[in-house]
Structures are given as C-alpha cells and as structure tokens.
Amino acid sequence: MQARRNKRYPRNRIGGLCAGALLCAACTPSIPAANVRAQAPCDTAARLEVELFGGIRESVHWSAATLRCQSMPRPDGDGARLRLSGKVGEGEESRTLAFILGIPGLTAGETGTELPTNVTLIEEGAGRFFATQDTSGCWTDVERHERIRGEGAPEYRISGILYCVSPLAELNSSASVTLTDMHFASRINWESPE
C-alpha cells in the first residue's frame, strides 16, 4: 500500500489531456429531470476536506451547509459518479469548485479499499478543468456505504478517503493541481437515469 502511494507514474501528456477532456465532457451535462432527486443538497452528515496546491491553491473544508451533491450511477452502469461542489473565497474572490469522482467498480452498498478512481476538478465559470489521465494515479477507500432507511428511492450514504500519487493536469495548459488525501461523506441515488 505504502509503496503504491509513493510510486511515481509516468504521464503521457497528450493522452492524459484527451482522456481528461472525455471525462469532463461526460461529467458536466445536467442530470436528467427523471433523476432530479440526485440534485438535492447533501444531508446533514456530508462533508469534504482537502488541500489543493499548484494551479489552484485552496484549503477546502465544506460541511452539509455549504455542499451540493449530484451523485448517481455512471451512464454506462459501470460504477458510480460522485459530484461534490461548493464555494471557496469570499465576496468578489468567491468561486465555485466541483470535484467529480468516477469509481468504475463500485456497486450499491459496497465498501472497499484502493478502488481505482478518475478525478476531475472544475472551476465553474472560469473554464478551468483539471483531470487524471486514467485510474492509475488515484484510489478511493470507501469506508461506509449504507442504505438510508425509510425512503422510497435507493438512496445511500457513502464516505471514504480519496488519495492520489500524481497531480491533476489542466486541460489546455501546463498547470496542474495536487491534492492531499480527500476525506468525503455524501449520499448517492443508485436509481439509474432514464
């Protein structure tokens, strides 16, 4: 485990940008009205904590009051996509960041360690996209993934840690963003979009 985290992975710049562009294009469209429940604010247990260095320098400490969640199965039915967004800065310096975690192998209620993960970071309104090349540089440990009882839709609470051994490359630029281990808690609607 420790050896994997410290290992340096070669990056194919052009391949990484192409893969990142495809990932961003797949992540950013609006969620269909049929799956509008996935657009609800996060519940009271939600949080996201991570430090960003490089092309974006921010200390992110979001709670349920400041988070927005849009989590659902991936369109091809292979795993899940968690989208967590919120504001950083104040006043005119305020901006919205969105983190999208694509976890291909995840299924409803499953936990696990070192699950390969695609990561995209978007600075909304500024046209800045940072993304992993593939799933070889970031992993997620899903520690809890439990169904929320008493609700009709297949809603689950999910929490864990994302860690990356390589930075996220910015599309159309030589900049990059390095993440510290990201601690998150959210909810996911496992009902497939129509």
Side-chain angles (χ1 to χ4, degrees), residues 53-75:
F53 303 94
I56 296 177
R57 296 184 61 85
E58 290 289 348
S59 179
V60 178
H61 299 278
W62 293 333
S63 65
T66 54
L67 266 171
R68 297 290 293 179
C69 301
Q70 293 175 282
S71 302
M72 64 181 191
R74 285 162 38 118

Side-chain angles (χ1 to χ4, degrees), residues 118-134:
N118 283 311
V119 183
T120 302
L121 169 60
I122 302 170
E123 184 179 347
E124 295 184 351
R128 300 188 75 188
F129 295 83
F130 299 82
T132 52
Q133 174 180 337
D134 50 34

Side-chain angles (χ1 to χ4, degrees), residues 52-181:
L52 308 179
F53 303 94
I56 296 177
R57 296 184 61 85
E58 290 289 348
S59 179
V60 178
H61 299 278
W62 293 333
S63 65
T66 54
L67 266 171
R68 297 290 293 179
C69 301
Q70 293 175 282
S71 302
M72 64 181 191
R74 285 162 38 118
D76 57 6
D78 179 22
R81 174 179 295 149
L82 307 179
R83 186 181 195 278
L84 299 163
S85 62
K87 291 190 177 296
V88 293
E90 297 181 3
E92 293 184 3
E93 301 297 319
S94 175
R95 53 189 174 164
T96 299
L97 300 180
F99 296 87
I100 297 104
L101 313 183
I103 310 174
L106 191 65
T107 59
E110 176 187 26
T111 61
T113 60
E114 297 189 17
L115 302 174
T117 304
N118 283 311
V119 183
T120 302
L121 169 60
I122 302 170
E123 184 179 347
E124 295 184 351
R128 300 188 75 188
F129 295 83
F130 299 82
T132 52
Q133 174 180 337
D134 50 34
T135 59
S136 68
C138 295
W139 297 269
T140 300
D141 289 349
V142 176
E143 299 170 333
R144 297 183 66 185
H145 192 181
E146 302 167 343
R147 184 156 188 164
I148 300 172
R149 302 296 176 189
E151 298 189 21
E155 297 271 351
Y156 287 71
R157 287 191 177 95
I158 184 170
S159 62
I161 303 171
L162 167 82
Y163 52 92
C164 296
V165 296
S166 54
L168 312 183
E170 183 173 14
L171 306 185
N172 303 318
S173 167
S174 61
S176 64
V177 169
T178 299
L179 312 178
T180 61
D181 290 357

